[in-house]
């Protein structure tokens, strides 16, 4: 499902070269919250992966949704939209990279096959694209700008190059793609004033 053609919904993909994007992402979320912008970070609940998101500013404007695993993420995103009583966030960050890393760091006996992992990644991408599209069609979204950022790895593993291109083409076509986090953060900061 492609994102709606609304000028109020700006979509980005950040291709992380390594796992050091956490501090920059935390600063971006803090800056938005300081400007009274609502921030939603969707990431893994794995403590080793999430400790890099230690926000210095705690406010009602920041929300971290820790999903237990990649397998349950699509359902959690569906629940997030259907139970959304709170105001629509101004910035939504979907950390798909952390969800994939959580699976890859499991003990070998608990890891799923590559084919199964590829299907889980595709389901998560589809669920987030649907969540984003539903937000774009909401009445609140029509009156305000919403930025969404999907964090993925530059290395396509566990996907092949062809699967990676297909995933981007199916769910994130037309999104601005960045490999430099400071440029992405600068663009979002300019948009939010």
């Amino acid at each position: 499902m492609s994102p709606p053609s609304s000028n109020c919904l700006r979509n980005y993909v950040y291709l992380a070269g390594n796992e050091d994007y956490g501090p920059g992402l935390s600063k971006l979320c803090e800056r938005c919250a300081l400007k009274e912008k609502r921030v939603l970070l969707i990431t893994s609940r794995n403590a080793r992966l999430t400790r890099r998101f230690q926000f210095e500013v705690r406010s009602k404007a920041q929300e971290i949704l820790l999903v237990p695993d990649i397998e349950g993420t699509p359902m959690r995103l569906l629940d997030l939209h259907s139970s959304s009583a709170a105001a629509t966030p101004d910035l939504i960050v979907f950390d798909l990279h952390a969800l994939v890393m959580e699976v890859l760091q499991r003990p070998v006996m608990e890891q799923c096959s590559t084919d199964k992992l590829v299907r889980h990644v595709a389901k998560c991408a589809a669920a987030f694209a649907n969540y984003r599209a539903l937000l774009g069609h909401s009445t609140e979204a029509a009156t305000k700008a919403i930025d969404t950022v999907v964090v993925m790895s530059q290395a396509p593993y566990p996907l092949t190059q062809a699967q990676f291109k297909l995933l981007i083409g199916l769910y994130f076509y037309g999104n601005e793609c960045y490999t430099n986090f400071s440029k992405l953060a600068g663009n979002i900061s300019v948009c939010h004033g």
Side-chain angles (χ1 to χ4, degrees), residues 8-79:
C8 296
L9 194 60
R10 295 181 299 261
N11 304 307
Y12 307 96
V13 173
Y14 172 62
L15 298 175
N18 54 36
E19 295 178 39
D20 291 339
Y21 60 92
L25 186 57
S26 294
K27 291 270 187 230
L28 173 65
C29 293
E30 287 172 11
R31 277 191 303 241
C32 287
L34 284 172
K35 294 177 182 177
E36 299 302 317
K37 303 293 182 181
R38 297 189 57 76
V39 178
L40 172 62
L41 171 63
I42 304 166
T43 190
S44 169
R45 77 168 180 199
N46 184 316
R48 284 179 289 163
L49 296 170
T50 57
R51 73 173 146 239
R52 62 184 166 205
F53 299 121
Q54 299 302 318
F55 293 119
E56 291 177 23
V57 177
R58 289 284 180 188
S59 71
K60 293 178 185 176
Q62 291 177 334
E63 181 181 347
I64 301 176
L65 176 66
L66 301 176
V67 290
D69 52 33
I70 197 168
E71 295 87 352
T73 300
M75 188 55 111
R76 191 74 170 102
L77 287 170
L78 182 64
D79 292 344

Side-chain angles (χ1 to χ4, degrees), residues 81-149:
H81 181 71
S82 62
S83 68
S84 178
T88 304
D90 298 288
L91 173 64
I92 303 168
V93 179
F94 180 51
D95 192 358
L96 185 57
H97 180 61
L99 292 168
V100 171
M101 291 304 297
E102 184 269 327
V103 173
L104 296 177
Q105 291 178 0
R106 291 179 187 168
V108 175
M109 296 301 291
E110 293 179 25
Q111 289 181 3
C112 54
S113 69
T114 304
D115 290 344
K116 203 177 236 184
L117 181 54
V118 167
R119 284 193 297 275
H120 288 312
V121 170
K123 286 178 187 177
C124 286
F128 185 72
N130 287 332
Y131 170 69
R132 189 175 59 191
L134 289 170
L135 281 179
H137 293 295
S138 71
T139 55
E140 187 179 353
T143 61
K144 72 181 212 177
I146 301 172
D147 289 307
T148 66
V149 178

